[in-house]
Amino acid sequence: QVQLVESGGGLVQAGASLRLSCAASGRTLSSYVMGWFRQAPEKERELVAAISGGGSRQYYKDSVKGRFTISRDNAKNTVYLQMNNLKLEDTAVYYCAAGNYYTDSGGGGYVNWGQGTQVTVSS
């Protein structure tokens, strides 16, 4: 229903920063909860951050609090994940997803997914 394309991943050293972008097409994003997920090889996909439709509420996984910031620009139909002080354990494929409702634990109803962008953090 909505097409999502992630960009901005890459190879960086520990302590560096990256900004991921998620561009949407097909539908406007204003009514969607947006989440950033990540999946490392042979590990379960996990929710990293989420943001309510209007952007006023955000959720972060404990391990990224204070380092990552999720934001959205509905006029540009784009969602961002600013990642600072990257650590080795942040290495994963990062996906954005559109969801149907927001909760304090990150929302739900995520049914539309991007293809992912690789983030690799080296020592």
Side-chain angles (χ1 to χ4, degrees), residues 2 4 9 11 19 22-24 35-36 38 49 51 54 58 63-64 78 80 82 89-90 95-96 98 101-102 104:
V2 58
L4 305 172
L11 172 64
R19 188 182 72 162
C22 175
W36 282 98
R38 68 187 182 190
I51 187 167
Q58 305 90 41
S63 63
V64 309
T78 302
Y80 305 95
Q82 178 68 45
E89 55 264 39
D90 295 320
Y95 302 87
C96 67
Y101 59 92
Y102 183 86
D104 289 342

Side-chain angles (χ1 to χ4, degrees), residues 8-20 66-69 81-87 90 119-122:
L11 172 64
V12 298
Q13 291 187 328
S17 298
L18 284 173
R19 188 182 72 162
L20 306 183
R67 300 190 297 119
F68 291 10
T69 303
L81 184 68
Q82 178 68 45
M83 305 186 293
N84 297 328
N85 191 23
L86 283 160
K87 301 178 178 181
D90 295 320
V119 173
T120 302
V121 183
S122 64

Side-chain angles (χ1 to χ4, degrees), residues 45 66 97 107:
R45 184 174 297 186

